[in-house]
Amino acid sequence: MSWITGNRYLSEDEMENNAIIIMSYLSSKGWSVNAISGLLGNMQSESTINPGIWRSLIEGSGGGGGYGLVQWTPWTNFTDWADENGYEWDDGNAQLKWIDEETVSFGQWIATSSYNFTFDDFKVSTRTPEILASAFLKNFERAGVEAEEQRRTQARKWYNYIVSQE
């Protein structure tokens, strides 16, 4: 199975393809299905689970806009690291590696009073996908447009999809 990527919005079938890749990658790193589902709920809102998408489909997004699975803002938060480590910008596995291994060292995860737990605790949590979608939104994304209920609903959808594939 290969990543589906490009500067466009993905269809449901294409998102499912990428979700399976994400599940396989992160579960091999010890992530819980619940945490992966919470992450996917956010990724759907941020990028349609597409590692090659720019915010509003505008390449460079004005220099400070978002890019990739989690819409890194500014995009150089990811792309500079990718360049330094020999990865293509739209490499979904590289983006997952950054999320899994670099989130804490880059200061991306900031625990809030509502979701006061570490990123390592998040990754293995068995709390509901909805709670973990909110935790990722508040502690990692800090999105301008939260659409929190939508992210929570999407997280449950991804949880149901993932468990149906096992």
Side-chain angles (χ1 to χ4, degrees):
M1 186 171 286
S2 298
W3 282 97
I4 299 171
T5 185
N7 192 25
R8 64 184 179 82
Y9 302 111
L10 298 186
S11 70
E12 189 72 21
D13 286 344
E14 291 171 324
M15 285 191 290
E16 288 174 356
N17 176 87
N18 288 356
I20 293 297
I21 296 169
I22 291 167
M23 176 62 194
S24 177
Y25 183 97
L26 293 178
S27 64
S28 76
K29 302 292 183 184
W31 284 52
S32 71
V33 173
N34 297 36
I36 295 167
S37 300
L39 175 66
L40 285 168
N42 279 276
M43 285 180 174
Q44 182 174 350
S45 289
E46 294 292 326
S47 68
T48 64
I49 314 179
N50 181 348
I53 196 169
W54 290 91
R55 182 189 305 170
S56 302
L57 305 181
I58 301 168
E59 188 171 334
S61 301
Y67 179 76
L69 290 168
V70 293
Q71 291 293 285
W72 278 276
T73 307
W75 50 273
T76 54
N77 286 354
F78 171 73
T79 59
D80 286 353
W81 175 89
D83 289 344
E84 290 167 11
N85 290 279
Y87 294 109
E88 296 296 322
W89 291 2
D90 68 346
D91 181 339
N93 288 341
Q95 292 184 30
L96 294 176
K97 180 178 179 65
W98 192 102
I99 292 166
D100 183 53
E101 298 176 11
E102 304 296 333
T103 288
V104 173
S105 65
F106 271 77
Q108 185 69 46
W109 185 268
I110 301 170
T112 58
S113 59
S114 298
Y115 302 99
N116 191 16
F117 46 94
T118 68
F119 188 58
D120 285 339
D121 289 340
F122 169 83
K123 294 191 298 187
V124 299
S125 180
T126 57
R127 295 176 192 198
T128 68
E130 293 86 355
I131 289 172
L132 295 174
S134 291
F136 195 82
L137 169 63
K138 301 292 187 177
N139 294 0
F140 182 101
E141 289 290 352
R142 298 179 294 283
V145 177
E146 288 191 341
E148 185 172 0
E149 283 307 311
Q150 179 180 0
R151 292 168 193 256
R152 290 171 67 97
T153 298
Q154 291 166 172
R156 176 56 62 178
K157 175 191 81 170
W158 289 113
Y159 176 85
N160 292 340
Y161 177 74
I162 289 167
V163 298
S164 77
Q165 300 300 303
E166 294 179 336

